[in-house]
Amino acid sequence: MSKTALVAAGAFAAGKNKSNIPKERPSTLEQSVAMKPIAWLLIAGVVGFVIVKAGKGVSEAFKKWQNGRDILNEKKQLEKTQKLSYPISQYQIFAGTLYDAFEGVQTNEPRIKGVFSQMKNNLDVLKLIEVYGSRDGGAYLWSPKMTLIEQIPYDMEDSEIETYINAPLRARGITYQF
């Protein structure tokens, strides 16, 4: 064999041996993660996503709480000048009827109009909102819990709200509108 062939064979063998030497692997999770910036970016993204989602949930809960407080304050003011037209059990029946009308794929507008046509004053409407509370969104599993104030525009178009809710309320001199 020539001298050049021996040198080439030696270089090949030396290179081959280098590739056969196992690389040192990290022995702990900390070493593994610290060595991979992409893993850090992924972790930061997940943490950021969780923080944003939690923030939105807190914000929505605060809005619902604030709306509830406003209605309760309005109700307290109206109780000084108006009286409820029905016993509490009747408002529970009204609320159940509305929930049933919203539930399912198609909203039952005549049932909704039937309930709002029985309201006699603003206090009745606010009591109905209070008793309705926050209920399951209805037709779909992913529907969130909603108050009556949220459920109406979620299930009805503006023209339907006007026809089946606001017009019957105005006909009875009720100023509270949806």
Side-chain angles (χ1 to χ4, degrees), residues 24-172:
E24 193 174 315
R25 295 188 183 244
S27 60
T28 64
L29 179 62
E30 290 85 16
Q31 290 174 344
S32 176
V33 173
M35 292 172 38
K36 300 185 192 272
I38 292 175
W40 280 109
L41 289 173
L42 180 64
I43 290 169
V46 169
V47 168
F49 177 78
V50 168
I51 289 172
V52 168
K53 282 300 221 181
K56 283 183 181 177
V58 169
S59 172
E60 289 175 14
F62 179 76
K63 284 180 187 174
K64 286 183 181 183
W65 175 77
Q66 187 63 41
N67 286 341
R69 279 189 48 199
D70 294 344
I71 288 171
L72 292 176
N73 288 336
E74 280 183 61
K75 189 173 138 290
K76 284 181 184 176
Q77 292 299 317
L78 285 173
E79 285 173 340
K80 295 175 184 175
T81 59
Q82 297 179 2
K83 295 205 181 285
L84 291 174
S85 303
Y86 306 100
I88 302 299
S89 60
Q90 184 59 50
Y91 293 98
Q92 291 169 339
I93 292 169
F94 289 149
T97 301
L98 288 175
Y99 178 74
D100 290 344
F102 289 126
E103 193 175 40
V105 178
Q106 187 156 355
T107 304
N108 187 335
E109 290 89 357
R111 286 185 83 185
I112 293 168
K113 182 177 182 179
V115 169
F116 283 101
S117 294
Q118 295 182 56
M119 301 293 107
K120 296 180 180 176
N121 56 43
N122 285 323
L123 186 59
D124 287 344
V125 175
L126 293 178
K127 187 64 176 179
L128 177 62
I129 292 168
E130 179 187 18
V131 170
Y132 189 90
S134 181
R135 297 184 183 217
D136 200 1
Y140 308 105
L141 293 175
W142 59 85
S143 298
K145 285 192 168 211
M146 291 186 247
T147 64
L148 185 58
I149 294 170
E150 295 165 327
Q151 186 76 50
I152 288 171
Y154 183 81
D155 276 324
M156 300 176 77
E157 295 177 12
D158 290 342
S159 61
E160 294 171 328
I161 295 170
E162 178 57 33
T163 302
Y164 296 106
I165 298 174
N166 290 337
L169 292 176
R170 270 196 310 277
R172 294 190 166 262

